[in-house]
Amino acid sequence: MDPCDQLQKLGQGAYRRKNYPAALDFFNSVIFQEKNPAIDVLDNRAATYEKLGDLHAALKDGRRMITDHKTSCAGYLRTGKILQLLGKPTTALGIYQYGLRNVSPDDPNFKLLRRMHEDMIRSYGTGRAKDPLTVLPAEIAEMILSYLDFRQIVSLLRVSARWQEYLCSMPSLWKNLDFSAAKASIPRSAIQKYLGFSRGNTTQVVTSRFMSQEGRFFPHIFRVCRKLETLRINSGSPNESLIKAASIARNLKTLVLGTECHTTVDCVNQVLRRCLTLTRAEFYSVNSSTRERNSWSSPMPKLHTLTMKLVGCSAALVDPLLEQLPEIGELTLANCSSRTSIPTPGRIEMDQLHLLRLYNFYGSVSPQSLPCVRVLELEGAYAMTSQSSTGDPEPHSRASSLVELSAPNASFRIDELLQLLGPNNGDLRRLSLPHAIWLEEADLDILVRSGILDSVIELDLSGNKVTDAFIELLAPKAWQLRSIKLGSTSITGISVKALVARPDCQLRHLDIRHCRNISIDAIDLARAKLGLKVLSSDVTPRNNGRKIRYE
């Protein structure tokens, strides 16, 4: 037998006879003779030190066991026990957690290590950590939980049986069912379960692409949730199910069909005709249908906001649609494929319309069709007309209440623009005409001299033929300007000085990015003005030719 093994057995025998000093001598002899002593020898000596009351020496051996034999449970078990005897339960709990991360579950003592860890949590964690649902008043707990979204509340159902029972008994937490974050298929039984938790009080439902929306899906939702006010459908083609549901939706006010939710003009018509409580409807993928020309036969008296992005649809549907919207306040139309025009008030009363957005709307916009519009966004409205219902021109017609006009890549000419804006009466506050196609230098001068820009506080003329002469003409007139964008123009430092050097200058935002003719000195002059934010880029100093990028 190996001498070290013989000494270890003698030490173990002395330990069993409770002759701990003799046992310590034997174990010391073994460890002294071996360069890398076995873990069981270190464990034996640590146990002997423990019996002799030298806990710090025992702890030293325990830590050596962990260092030399990281994948063995023995070191973690011994060190954890000693730390508990030293009155350090938190450190002992950390040692057990560290061991569970490093030891393989195949270790014969792994279950013991895990049990010690669980016992420590029960013994030392329970006294300090309390279930908030047992401590807080029900009203406070409900208020805190109300800040969580649907996905977080569903996660809390797995905390414990008590938490699940508590959460399921609070209908107010299940008013907003948002399934949009789902990453896997949602069984219908789960949906019915969440709807049941609300006890009919659900007011908003957002669907997921992993949900089956065919057949009676939406009718079932409206039968169970009679207070449902908002429905957002992110994907699918739920035409038949949605039409059936529209007839029984008694309180639905907002309906949104996302870009991946494909519907038809006929489906939209039937939904709007049957669901008379709607005040906001948004359809982001509307395809043509065989009944397109005969659509919009019923009024929609409560509809205030309508968004329709058409796919392959004729613009001929616009006129009959607007005839059924007497209370429309916000209208967005996009992607009409043939030419049409926004009707004039001579045929259709649109006195409530205050926000109009037309994107890729290949038609014309008549100023007299916009008597109350305050915000107008045009992109692709390629013609501006002033024809009245009798065909006679009305040169003085205008959008009399216009406060904001945005027309990126505008293709109308200066006379059409002036006709739309009309004479200045101090209403216009924001004008955005970036990269206007037909506006020349002389046209911009006409725009300034007309007085229309005198009341503007935000102006965007990026990418236009703006010159120093134009800015010197504009600066004394547009004294209310707070923000101006002149990026990608040919202005120089003269324009910058004209804008910021005036004593009554109220400018707070100056965008001169990609203006290659502006020197660094001019930019520094603008930045020296207190409260003015300057955006610039690709500026080339004239003195040494170094290229510097600002912000």
Side-chain angles (χ1 to χ4, degrees):
M1 179 182 292
D2 183 79
C4 290
D5 293 339
Q6 186 175 4
L7 289 173
Q8 183 178 0
K9 287 187 176 296
L10 291 173
Q12 291 172 347
Y15 183 89
R16 285 192 293 271
R17 293 190 300 273
K18 298 185 180 180
N19 187 0
Y20 300 122
L24 181 60
D25 291 337
F26 286 122
F27 295 138
N28 283 336
S29 299
V30 175
I31 294 173
F32 179 77
Q33 293 181 29
E34 292 187 347
K35 185 176 181 180
N36 295 312
I39 188 172
D40 54 343
V41 179
L42 292 172
D43 192 30
N44 293 156
R45 190 171 75 168
T48 305
Y49 276 132
E50 181 184 331
K51 293 297 184 180
L52 292 172
D54 192 352
L55 297 179
H56 291 285
L59 180 62
K60 186 177 180 180
D61 276 346
R63 288 176 172 170
R64 184 177 177 182
M65 293 165 65
I66 294 175
T67 302
D68 295 346
H69 307 276
K70 191 174 182 178
T71 58
S72 174
C73 281
Y76 303 104
L77 291 169
R78 180 63 61 187
T79 305
K81 179 181 179 182
I82 297 170
L83 286 170
Q84 292 184 65
L85 294 174
L86 288 171
K88 299 180 178 180
T90 305
T91 309
L93 181 61
I95 289 294
Y96 290 143
Q97 291 174 342
Y98 184 60
L100 291 174
R101 291 197 299 267
N102 293 312
V103 177
S104 170
D106 297 331
D107 190 292
N109 291 319
F110 182 81
K111 291 183 179 180
L112 175 61
L113 178 62
R114 186 168 58 188
R115 188 173 73 247
M116 293 298 296
H117 175 257
E118 293 173 353
D119 291 343
M120 283 288 295
I121 292 177
R122 282 194 293 268
S123 301
Y124 296 96
T126 307
R128 292 175 296 174
K130 296 183 179 180
D131 188 344
L133 299 184
T134 63
V135 177
L136 297 174
E139 296 80 3
I140 302 298
E142 184 174 357
M143 182 182 68
I144 294 173
L145 292 171
S146 66
Y147 286 96
L148 303 179
D149 59 29
F150 174 70
R151 185 179 182 183
Q152 293 169 329
I153 294 174
V154 172
S155 299
L156 291 180
L157 293 174
R158 298 191 290 269
V159 172
S160 66
R162 172 177 169 76
W163 274 60
Q164 183 177 20
E165 180 182 0
Y166 184 86
L167 295 172
C168 294
S169 66
M170 300 175 66
S172 60
L173 296 179
W174 306 94
K175 287 186 176 181
N176 182 2
L177 305 184
D178 186 352
F179 298 97
S180 60
K183 298 181 179 179
S185 178
I186 305 175
R188 181 163 295 188
S189 59
I191 299 172
Q192 293 175 343
K193 177 179 68 174
Y194 297 135
L195 293 174
F197 292 160
S198 73
R199 299 175 188 172
N201 292 313
T202 298
T203 58
Q204 176 172 310
V205 172
V206 181
T207 69
S208 163
R209 62 190 178 94
F210 296 104
M211 297 170 62
S212 174
Q213 303 170 7
E214 303 301 328
R216 301 179 180 179
F217 177 76
F218 290 113
H220 173 72
I221 287 181
F222 284 106
R223 288 192 183 96
V224 175
C225 307
R226 298 186 179 275
K227 297 181 180 180
L228 189 65
E229 296 181 354
T230 301
L231 176 62
R232 298 179 183 271
I233 308 174
N234 292 324
S235 60
S237 300
N239 295 338
E240 181 181 351
S241 180
L242 194 59
I243 292 172
K244 292 179 181 178
S247 301
I248 59 176
R250 296 291 179 257
N251 294 291
L252 188 64
K253 294 180 174 60
T254 300
L255 176 63
V256 180
L257 274 62
T259 55
E260 296 182 6
C261 183
H262 307 295
T263 185
T264 63
V265 173
D266 182 52
C267 175
V268 172
N269 176 34
Q270 293 196 52
V271 169
L272 296 181
R273 178 164 52 85
R274 298 184 183 193
C275 189
L276 299 179
T277 59
L278 278 175
T279 60
R280 184 183 191 93
E282 301 177 15
F283 306 95
Y284 290 94
S285 181
V286 181
N287 297 277
S288 60
S289 61
T290 56
R291 297 180 58 184
E292 181 178 324
R293 293 185 177 275
N294 299 322
S295 297
W296 324 117
S297 56
S298 301
M300 307 160 200
K302 293 186 178 181
L303 195 61
H304 177 268
T305 302
L306 176 63
T307 298
M308 289 184 61
K309 292 192 175 181
L310 310 172
V311 180
C313 297
S314 169
L317 64 89
V318 174
D319 282 13
L321 167 63
L322 297 181
E323 291 176 359
Q324 310 301 333
L325 302 173
E327 298 297 323
I328 192 69
E330 300 179 9
L331 178 63
T332 302
L333 298 174
N335 303 335
C336 284
S337 60
S338 61
R339 300 187 67 84
T340 187
S341 62
I342 296 295
T344 64
R347 289 181 292 151
I348 300 175
E349 296 295 335
M350 301 177 66
D351 294 339
Q352 304 299 321
L353 185 63
H354 64 269
L355 187 151
L356 177 62
R357 299 187 182 98
L358 302 176
Y359 303 133
N360 298 325
F361 187 86
Y362 296 98
S364 58
V365 178
S366 172
Q368 64 263 35
S369 68
L370 314 172
C372 299
V373 171
R374 299 181 64 79
V375 178
L376 178 60
E377 298 180 13
L378 302 175
E379 185 173 348
Y382 285 106
M384 200 71 62
T385 178
S386 61
Q387 295 292 321
S388 67
S389 59
T390 61
D392 299 327
E394 297 183 4
H396 300 294
S397 59
R398 66 181 297 269
S400 58
S401 301
L402 203 61
V403 173
E404 180 177 341
L405 172 62
S406 175
N409 304 303
S411 59
F412 40 74
R413 302 181 184 275
I414 186 62
D415 56 338
E416 296 173 331
L417 178 61
L418 293 176
Q419 187 181 55
L420 178 64
L421 296 174
N424 176 54
N425 60 359
D427 288 337
L428 192 64
R429 288 289 183 268
R430 295 173 179 83
L431 180 62
S432 178
L433 299 171
H435 304 280
I437 298 175
W438 298 110
L439 292 184
E440 302 292 336
E441 295 179 26
D443 297 332
L444 295 174
D445 291 346
I446 294 174
L447 187 62
V448 174
R449 297 181 191 279
S450 68
I452 291 174
L453 301 182
D454 293 359
S455 59
V456 172
I457 61 174
E458 294 182 13
L459 179 63
D460 185 357
L461 295 175
S462 304
N464 286 293
K465 297 178 181 179
V466 179
T467 62
D468 290 338
F470 167 78
I471 297 298
E472 290 181 322
L473 184 63
L474 170 69
K477 289 178 170 291
W479 59 273
Q480 297 189 58
L481 266 180
R482 301 289 194 280
S483 172
I484 185 169
K485 296 182 180 181
L486 301 170
S488 302
T489 61
S490 59
I491 62 171
T492 67
I494 296 174
S495 295
V496 175
K497 183 177 180 181
L499 289 169
V500 305
R502 297 176 66 246
D504 59 347
C505 175
Q506 302 185 46
L507 202 61
R508 292 293 176 266
H509 185 278
L510 175 62
D511 187 344
I512 49 176
R513 287 175 288 187
H514 308 294
C515 294
R516 306 295 182 125
N517 298 326
I518 299 179
S519 66
I520 291 181
D521 293 339
I523 296 175
D524 291 340
L525 173 66
R527 287 191 171 137
K529 182 173 176 59
L530 185 63
L532 176 60
K533 182 178 181 180
V534 182
L535 297 180
S536 63
S537 62
D538 295 332
V539 178
T540 304
R542 300 182 184 278
N543 52 358
N544 56 13
R546 288 187 305 138
K547 193 173 186 179
I548 302 176
R549 179 177 294 276
Y550 292 90
E551 298 183 14

